[in-house]
Amino acid sequence: MRPRALLAGFCWVMGVGAGASFVAPASGAQPLALTPPMGWNDWAHFQCGFTAQAILDNAKLLVSTGLAARGYNTVTIDDCWMQKARDAQGNLQVDPDRFQHGMKPLASAIHALGLKFGIYEDAGSETCGRFAGSGQPDVGGKDHFLEDARIFASWDVDYLKLDGCNVGVAGQSDRVSAYRKAYAAESAALKSVGRPIVFSESAPAYFENTPEWYDVLTWVRQYGQLWREGSDIANYHANNPDAPRFKSVLWNYAYNLALGRFQRPGNWDDPDFIIGGDSGMSLAESRSQMALWSMMSAPLILSSDLGKLSPEALKMLGNPAVIAVDQDSLGRMATLVRRTSSIDILLKPLKGGDYAVAALNRGDAPAQVQIHPAELGFSTDANCSLNGQNLWNGERWPSLSVLQADVASHDTAIWRIHPSASCGAVTRTGAIIITAGRTLGSIDGYTHCLATTGKVEECSGAPEESWTVTSGGTLKSSGACLAVAGGKLVMEKCNDGSMQHWSYTLAGNLVNAADHECLTNVSASETQQPLTMQPCGHNQLNQVWSLPD
Ligand code: GLA
């Protein structure tokens, strides 16, 4: 199991991968969500404008389109299914206009289709839509976690999304404690009702980009199987159906990609719904979302009107080879190999010795992309070659010395590769980025790369931004090692000295083994200033880095 506090060296991420670190729950409880959850949720397309019939129609479409057979197996009803008030006994009441026969018949109909049934509630006194929540009132008092969990179990609920609006802090020392108490209570309630229920926690999203974010991300894994860490993906709005939504996809991808250290089988970072195929997303953008989410082992929860998806979109969303990358049992987060002003190259190790590689074109013009095995972390041996398969069209190429693709604007190429023996074992190689950016809501907040100049710079994909994280805890680039000398950062000949050794904490700090101080960007959002070594603060944002996974 990964230690939760300061970690010595890099072995905890390096090792044999996140898959090896999963620990089955104690006392014989069945492990849940060992691969990222998949399914459909009404929210991003319908918001509160759904009917029970629309839910059932989409459930039937999951089956008739073949998506259910590909793994999209859980239908979840999001906010607005309940009334604002509880009944005289304190029970939740379903909205009688939407559910004339109550919730159970719909749950049964979804189960009869061979699907699982999920529902939404909130850890606060009211949901985000201001309907009855499970949490205690702002002023303090009784919560309803246990009673509500019992109702969900009586409806045969298989999956609960617990949002985090309107969480009161009464009686708690701070906001983080108030959230933790609520999510722990829900977790205990779910465990007590005698039914395996996957628990999706929205708590981290309410702390996005604050220092407390990292505290919350550290404890959610104790209580549930997946968690939303940040902003909502852009919704569909009937009054502006073609409003572009890809920027929000890139933002959610960017924050999620930097949080790989929190993820492992049974515990998933959740960058929110798949809106690929829906209005506001071109086919290229839809492909990108599907490829990026799969590279990150993210939950694949469709949130579109399935009846309106084009045949191309349905085929793309159901692509078995891409879904296999998402559902790979190692559950690894992709490594950001290279980030330029318009291109991202990603690598993800898969069970059995294959790798997935993706090339995202964020730019407005088509781009030709070339990827050499050494850049991915394989050896520089001239005999190293890759057997590659393009996962969008199935085309196979044997013995490539370089992966190449023309990638259209906003599109993503994705390959499955198998390296030849002379490629050797892959090393952890890629960009190191400082994750507190200047622009919230845009991927530009995640485009500051550590360079061998001892500064962070606007990521350009230059060799000076390519780092290999060794199992011994050194950070190497172009054959030299990052070290602290005389209180300053230098690149020097690797000599295994302690000033060249770094540990990486779950909070994201790079701590030098000689002076025990943290690698610091003086101002979190500035580039081109010399980095300094400073005492490690508690989740100090200018000391939080994302490393190759
Ligand atoms: C929040 C969540 C969304 C959705 C709405 C419902 O915004 O992040 O996914 O559940 O609440 O009100």
Side-chain angles (χ1 to χ4, degrees):
M1 184 168 164
R2 286 179 184 172
R4 296 181 198 285
L6 194 66
L7 301 147
F10 294 106
C11 314
W12 66 286
V13 180
M14 183 64 189
V16 284
S21 58
F22 174 74
V23 176
S27 68
Q30 149 187 5
L32 294 172
L34 290 180
T35 59
M38 294 176 69
W40 179 87
N41 174 306
D42 56 278
W43 182 258
H45 189 88
F46 294 94
Q47 294 103 64
C48 297
F50 67 91
T51 58
Q53 192 58 45
I55 305 284
L56 189 56
D57 288 347
N58 277 281
K60 287 179 177 164
L61 281 160
L62 277 184
V63 177
S64 63
T65 55
L67 289 171
R70 293 277 152 86
Y72 296 94
N73 66 2
T74 301
V75 170
T76 299
I77 305 180
D78 210 283
D79 203 355
C80 313
W81 60 263
M82 67 291 266
Q83 297 186 37
K84 294 199 184 277
R86 292 172 177 269
D87 71 11
Q89 288 73 47
N91 295 315
L92 284 169
Q93 312 185 85
V94 298
D95 176 342
D97 294 333
R98 293 181 217 270
F99 303 98
Q100 280 114 19
H101 309 291
M103 190 62 83
K104 186 72 189 263
L106 179 59
S108 301
I110 288 170
H111 281 132
L113 290 165
L115 300 169
K116 293 178 185 288
F117 175 57
I119 205 145
Y120 167 103
E121 244 300 351
D122 193 281
S125 52
E126 292 179 335
T127 70
C128 297
R130 300 242 164 239
F131 295 90
S134 291
Q136 65 175 32
D138 273 355
V139 289
K142 192 176 151 21
D143 67 54
H144 299 275
F145 294 114
L146 189 56
E147 303 94 290
D148 293 355
R150 287 187 179 137
I151 290 182
F152 299 153
S154 77
W155 293 340
D156 295 336
V157 160
D158 304 297
Y159 178 106
L160 172 69
K161 167 177 170 180
L162 191 71
D163 211 338
C165 276
N166 309 309
V167 172
V169 291
Q172 299 300 309
S173 52
D174 56 71
R175 221 173 138 240
V176 174
S177 305
Y179 274 78
R180 186 168 190 169
K181 184 172 169 228
Y183 281 85
E186 181 71 68
S187 176
L190 292 176
K191 284 190 184 118
S192 75
V193 296
R195 184 176 174 82
I197 298 179
V198 171
F199 184 22
S200 161
E201 307 171 79
S202 298
Y206 291 83
F207 297 85
E208 186 175 14
N209 247 50
T210 68
E212 292 77 28
W213 200 23
Y214 301 100
D215 291 327
V216 178
L217 283 165
T218 301
W219 53 249
V220 277
R221 53 165 72 184
Q222 293 173 32
Y223 305 125
Q225 286 71 47
L226 65 159
W227 47 81
R228 285 272 315 279
E229 320 100 85
S231 324
D232 290 12
I233 206 101
N235 288 334
Y236 166 83
H237 294 292
N239 54 4
N240 190 9
D242 298 321
R245 298 161 83 186
F246 189 57
K247 187 176 176 198
S248 91
V249 168
L250 287 182
W251 167 243
N252 288 26
Y253 152 69
Y255 70 64
N256 196 72
L257 182 66
L259 296 174
R261 60 192 180 277
F262 294 100
Q263 175 169 297
R264 57 191 176 185
N267 284 143
W268 306 104
D269 291 329
D270 176 9
D272 209 3
F273 304 124
I274 297 282
I275 55 172
D278 206 353
S279 301
M281 293 279 289
S282 70
L283 193 57
E285 292 169 344
S286 303
R287 261 197 301 267
S288 282
Q289 192 192 19
M290 188 66 189
L292 297 172
W293 264 231
S294 297
M295 291 298 291
M296 298 192 292
S297 306
L300 298 179
I301 301 169
L302 307 174
S303 193
S304 44
D305 184 351
L306 296 179
K308 299 222 170 91
L309 296 183
S310 68
E312 295 81 13
L314 281 172
K315 189 167 171 233
M316 185 277 295
L317 295 168
N319 182 310
V322 176
I323 292 172
V325 170
D326 181 76
Q327 297 286 300
D328 182 77
S329 62
L330 294 183
R332 297 285 294 271
M333 173 61 76
T335 279
L336 178 62
V337 172
R338 187 209 306 166
R339 173 163 283 165
T340 74
S341 58
S342 57
I343 302 292
D344 280 8
I345 305 295
L346 303 174
L347 175 81
K348 175 181 176 181
L350 303 174
K351 176 113 177 146
D354 284 0
Y355 298 81
V357 178
L360 158 71
N361 181 357
R362 313 189 320 265
D364 295 330
Q368 203 188 47
V369 174
Q370 295 198 331
I371 309 163
H372 294 270
E375 191 187 2
L376 300 173
F378 296 109
S379 98
T380 51
D381 186 325
N383 292 321
C384 167
S385 66
L386 310 170
N387 279 332
Q389 182 181 20
N390 174 333
L391 298 187
W392 289 133
N393 63 15
E395 223 178 312
R396 289 176 192 270
W397 301 290
S399 299
L400 293 170
S401 55
V402 53
L403 285 174
Q404 297 197 58
D406 290 314
V407 189
S409 166
H410 293 188
D411 210 342
T412 297
I414 180 167
W415 300 266
R416 188 178 184 112
I417 59 165
H418 189 80
S420 64
S422 43
C423 296
V426 78
T427 56
R428 288 172 60 195
T429 300
I432 295 181
I433 57 175
I434 184 145
T435 59
R438 61 206 180 288
T439 324
L440 282 183
S442 157
I443 194 169
D444 294 348
Y446 285 83
T447 54
H448 290 168
C449 283
L450 175 66
T452 52
T453 51
K455 299 173 178 172
V456 290
E457 57 186 29
E458 201 60 49
C459 301
S460 69
E464 66 192 30
E465 294 168 6
S466 176
W467 296 90
T468 296
V469 182
T470 69
S471 53
T474 62
L475 299 172
K476 279 172 99 164
S477 187
S478 303
C481 278
L482 185 72
V484 177
K488 293 212 166 67
L489 279 171
V490 292
M491 291 299 293
E492 59 181 29
K493 192 163 180 286
C494 298
N495 60 20
D496 215 27
S498 61
M499 65 290 298
Q500 294 184 354
H501 281 256
W502 302 82
S503 58
Y504 185 48
T505 68
L506 197 51
N509 293 151
L510 276 169
V511 186
N512 186 265
D515 68 8
H516 306 291
E517 292 199 323
C518 271
L519 184 64
T520 309
N521 190 22
V522 179
S523 157
S525 60
E526 291 301 317
T527 55
Q528 297 301 349
Q529 298 178 22
L531 298 173
T532 57
M533 297 303 296
Q534 287 184 12
C536 301
H538 181 68
N539 300 331
Q540 203 174 301
L541 293 179
N542 61 356
Q543 297 179 334
V544 181
W545 302 87
S546 176
L547 263 56
D549 203 39

